[in-house]
Amino acid sequence: AAVNSRLMDIMLNRFRVRLHCSALKKYLLLGQGDFVTRLLDLLNEELSLPANKIFRHNLVSILKAAIQQSNAQYEDADVLKRLDVRLLRSVRRDTGWDVFSLDYHIDLPLNVILTKSA
């Protein structure tokens, strides 16, 4: 019981697992409405291009702009540095909408609990 209590204390306080679960809900599950609206507005033109004309650095710039133009700018700095853009492998005739993915980087020990398959 003491080990379990200590482990829970470490995960909740030192590694802030609740903060990261909340961030996943807000950003990957699109719960932060003003951010999502602004991001989609800014991405619309870029993601309408053919996938082979999309560049990750442009999308990262758009992500940063959406953060600055929404209430996401007040989010914990650790959360914001974990938000990222990933481009999936494209096939012929894909548009940016087909290959764009919003990503949230999780490292040890959180990635033991919050896995990509979860």
Side-chain angles (χ1 to χ4, degrees):
V3 172
N4 184 48
S5 176
R6 178 72 178 134
L7 178 62
M8 290 302 294
D9 180 58
I10 290 170
M11 293 306 290
L12 294 174
N13 296 314
R14 181 172 169 196
F15 294 108
R16 305 185 315 166
V17 72
R18 282 193 181 124
L19 174 75
H20 298 293
C21 287
S22 175
L24 290 171
K25 179 182 174 187
K26 287 180 186 177
Y27 301 106
L28 296 190
L29 298 178
L30 311 179
Q32 184 72 30
D34 65 318
F35 165 76
V36 172
T37 300
R38 191 65 190 132
L39 181 63
L40 292 176
D41 287 346
L42 293 172
L43 284 172
N44 188 43
E45 186 176 333
E46 186 79 16
L47 293 184
S48 295
L49 296 172
N52 63 352
K53 304 279 189 213
I54 305 288
F55 297 98
R56 185 180 172 281
H57 64 273
N58 293 341
L59 299 177
V60 169
S61 294
I62 292 171
L63 171 63
K64 290 179 189 277
I67 290 168
Q68 291 303 311
Q69 297 171 22
S70 69
N71 284 324
Q73 67 183 305
Y74 304 111
E75 185 66 73
D76 188 282
D78 187 39
V79 167
L80 295 179
K81 78 176 185 182
R82 293 170 186 268
L83 278 174
D84 199 7
V85 168
R86 182 167 35 115
L87 290 174
L88 306 175
R89 185 176 302 259
S90 67
V91 295
R92 194 167 185 224
R93 297 187 186 177
D94 275 350
T95 67
W97 292 105
D98 298 309
V99 298
F100 173 81
S101 178
L102 193 58
D103 206 6
Y104 189 82
H105 297 283
I106 300 281
D107 47 15
L108 281 171
L110 294 173
N111 64 356
V112 174
I113 299 168
L114 305 170
T115 63
K116 288 186 185 247
S117 63

